[in-house]
Every structure is written in C-alpha cells, then in structure tokens.
C-alpha cells in the first residue's frame, strides 16, 4: 500500500503592523532627525592690524604683503571710527590733489584703520594702464593729453582706452578703495580680461625661479611690449629698477612692468 503523504505545514502569515504603529514610528524618526545638533558657522573675527600684516590686506586687487604699501601701524586711534590700531599712512588734507581723498565728508588730516579703508571711507585715485581713476569713474590718458591720439602709437592708445572703457563700474569702485603699492614713479594697475589685475608684489630672481623652469622666458611674457631691459640687466649689480608683478583675477595670466628712479 502506498504511503499517504502528510500535508505540508502552513507557515503562519506575518501580521502587518497596524497603521497606528507605523505612524508612531515615523513620528519618532522625525523627532530624532530634529534633535541632531546643527553645526554653527564660526563667528567672523574682526581683522586687526597685526593679523593683516601677516596675511595681507585681504582686498581683491592687492594680494601682496602690507609692507609693500606705505601703511604703518602707529598704535593711534582711527580718525574716522575711533578704533585703536590706526595706520599712519598719509595726511588726507595734504594729498587731496594726489592719490588719496576722502569719499565722504571734507578733506582732513588724520589716521585711518584697515576696516575704514575696506569700508571705502578713504579712496585712492590710482594711475591705471591707459588711463587713471577719477572721483567719478575712469578716464583714458587722452582726456588729459589729447596729443597722444596723434602720435606714432595712436592706434595702440585708442585700442588700450577701448579696453579700459569695458571695465565695469563695480571694479573701478573696488580699486578706488585699494591702497597703492610703493613704486618709484607711483603705482600703476595693469588690466586683463576687462578688469584690473591683482598686485602680487615686487619680484626678484627668486620669484621668477619659483614660478617657472625658464625664468627669462616668463619675464619676457610678463613684460610683453613693455620689455625695456633684458632679464640679465634687470637683476644686474648696477640695476636701479624694480619689477611689479600682477595676476589676472579671471585667467591667472601673469603680467608686470618695471620702474626706476
């Protein structure tokens, strides 16, 4: 006789959790998510003169050491905001016809701190490539010297001033609140990519060697049509000139110019 097959045992069906229990679990998860600690952003520290001397001016168009400027910490209070640690940089009253002027209020003598410089309470009328800054904007050299448009390089002058005209008003405003660097014949900001370039300091042989395996070629590329001295002459024992280096804020192109007494 054939053996009877025993019926397979039915597995007990899993009970679905009640809807109320599911809702409670979801609420518990949400509460846990809310309780997770939120990372707070560190409070911004106010920049002091001492910090800035080590880290630079922290301005878009000035990436060199503060020692490249004429700014000096004299420990006095700022004439504009009263903060301690002002910089003895100039007499605004004496230099109102020069590079510095007061953006708001009447010209006056006094000290200025870095925060007030960054806030634009004191502004500077720099020379720039193909022109100069004014109290209202920027203008080409031909405005003051119209005869240059009739000279042998009139086409280059006209082309340069067209480039200058493309620079936005916001960039002009930013450069006006940037202190000048020390230069023999006064600071001049170069331009590239429709903007002013960032001053990165005075360069010597060490800087060229750091940035290129062929320092002489880099020197020639940086100077371009301003190449008045050969590389060896610039750093010769009897050289009395200085090279001021700039970097483009948009494409990192390096440029520079030389100046002497």
């Amino acid at each position: 006789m054939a053996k009877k097959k025993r019926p397979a045992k039915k597995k007990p069906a899993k009970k679905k959790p009640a809807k109320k229990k599911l809702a409670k679990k979801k609420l518990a998860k949400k509460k846990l998510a809310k309780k997770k600690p939120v990372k707070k952003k560190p409070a911004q520290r106010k920049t002091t003169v001492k910090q800035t001397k080590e880290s630079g001016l922290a301005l878009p168009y000035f990436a060199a050491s503060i020692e490249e400027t004429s700014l000096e910490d004299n420990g006095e209070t700022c004439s504009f905001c009263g903060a301690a640690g002002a910089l003895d940089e100039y007499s605004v009253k004496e230099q109102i016809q020069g590079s510095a002027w007061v953006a708001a209020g009447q010209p006056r003598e006094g000290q200025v701190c870095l925060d007030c410089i960054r806030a634009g309470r004191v502004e500077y009328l720099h020379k720039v490539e193909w022109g100069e800054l004014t109290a209202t904007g920027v203008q080409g050299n031909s405005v003051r010297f119209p005869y240059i448009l009739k000279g042998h390089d009139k086409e280059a002058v006209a082309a340069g001033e067209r480039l200058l005209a493309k620079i936005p008003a916001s960039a002009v405003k930013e450069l006006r609140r940037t202190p000048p660097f020390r230069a023999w014949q006064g600071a001049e900001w170069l331009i590239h990519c429709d903007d002013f370039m960032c001053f990165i300091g005075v360069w010597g042989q060490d800087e060229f060697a750091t940035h290129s395996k062929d320092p002489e070629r880099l020197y020639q590329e940086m100077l371009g049509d301003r190449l008045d001295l050969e590389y060896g002459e610039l750093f010769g024992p009897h050289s009395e000139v200085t090279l001021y280096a700039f970097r483009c804020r948009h494409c990192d192109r390096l440029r520079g110019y030389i100046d002497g007494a």
Side-chain angles (χ1 to χ4, degrees):
M1 289 180 67
K3 289 183 180 179
K4 290 182 181 179
K5 290 182 179 177
R6 292 181 183 180
K9 288 183 180 179
K10 290 183 180 180
K11 292 180 180 179
K14 289 182 179 178
K15 291 182 181 179
K16 293 181 179 179
K19 288 183 179 179
K20 286 183 179 180
K21 287 183 178 179
L22 284 170
K24 283 182 180 180
K25 283 183 179 179
K26 285 181 180 178
L27 282 169
K29 283 182 179 179
K30 282 183 180 178
K31 285 179 181 179
L32 284 170
K34 286 180 181 178
K35 287 180 181 179
K36 285 182 180 179
V38 179
K39 289 182 179 179
K40 292 181 180 180
K41 291 182 178 179
Q44 289 185 345
R45 294 173 64 188
K46 193 173 181 180
T47 305
T48 64
V49 174
K50 187 175 181 181
Q51 289 172 331
T52 307
K53 279 192 173 182
E54 295 168 356
S55 59
L57 287 171
L59 294 171
Y61 296 112
F62 202 110
S65 165
I66 193 172
E67 293 177 358
E68 300 276 8
T69 72
S70 57
L71 303 171
E72 293 180 1
D73 180 10
N74 63 3
E76 295 185 15
T77 56
C78 176
S79 302
F80 295 87
C81 71
L87 298 165
D88 182 11
E89 192 233 348
Y90 52 71
S91 161
V92 178
K93 188 174 182 181
E94 289 173 6
Q95 294 196 21
I96 193 67
Q97 299 299 328
S99 67
W101 62 295
V102 179
Q106 295 298 315
R108 59 180 175 182
E109 295 181 5
Q111 320 298 324
V112 61
C113 68
L114 287 170
D115 287 334
C116 285
I117 288 175
R118 292 191 183 100
R121 293 189 177 94
V122 175
E123 297 188 351
Y124 304 84
L125 306 183
H126 300 295
K127 288 193 296 182
V128 297
E129 194 171 17
W130 307 109
E132 62 186 351
L133 298 188
T134 67
T136 56
V138 62
Q139 68 181 23
N141 286 327
S142 64
V143 175
R144 291 180 61 190
F145 312 107
Y147 60 84
I148 63 176
L149 289 175
K150 298 178 182 179
H152 66 280
D153 57 349
K154 59 184 179 183
E155 291 181 2
V157 171
E161 292 191 357
R162 284 195 296 270
L163 291 174
L164 192 61
K166 291 181 181 179
I167 296 177
S170 58
V172 174
K173 184 178 180 180
E174 186 64 51
L175 186 61
R176 277 211 307 258
R177 68 190 189 109
T178 305
F181 51 89
R182 291 180 182 177
W184 290 102
Q185 305 297 333
E188 177 184 349
W189 252 267
L190 303 185
I191 59 176
H192 200 265
C193 288
D194 299 337
D195 195 2
F196 302 112
M197 301 183 79
C198 178
F199 175 67
I200 57 176
V202 170
W203 272 27
Q205 286 179 300
D206 290 343
E207 285 76 16
F208 277 99
T210 300
H211 285 81
S212 176
K213 292 180 180 179
D214 189 348
E216 188 170 351
R217 183 177 179 181
L218 176 60
Y219 168 74
Q220 293 169 353
E221 290 174 352
M222 286 177 64
L223 272 289
D225 57 4
R226 288 172 170 250
L227 187 62
D228 298 323
L229 287 176
E230 293 300 322
Y231 184 75
E233 293 177 291
L234 176 65
F235 302 115
H238 304 294
S239 175
E240 294 183 353
V241 296
T242 304
L243 187 142
Y244 307 99
F246 294 80
R247 177 181 283 110
C248 178
R249 299 178 64 235
H250 306 278
C251 72
D252 286 335
R253 168 75 186 276
L254 294 170
R255 293 189 64 204
Y257 75 92
I258 55 178
D259 186 20

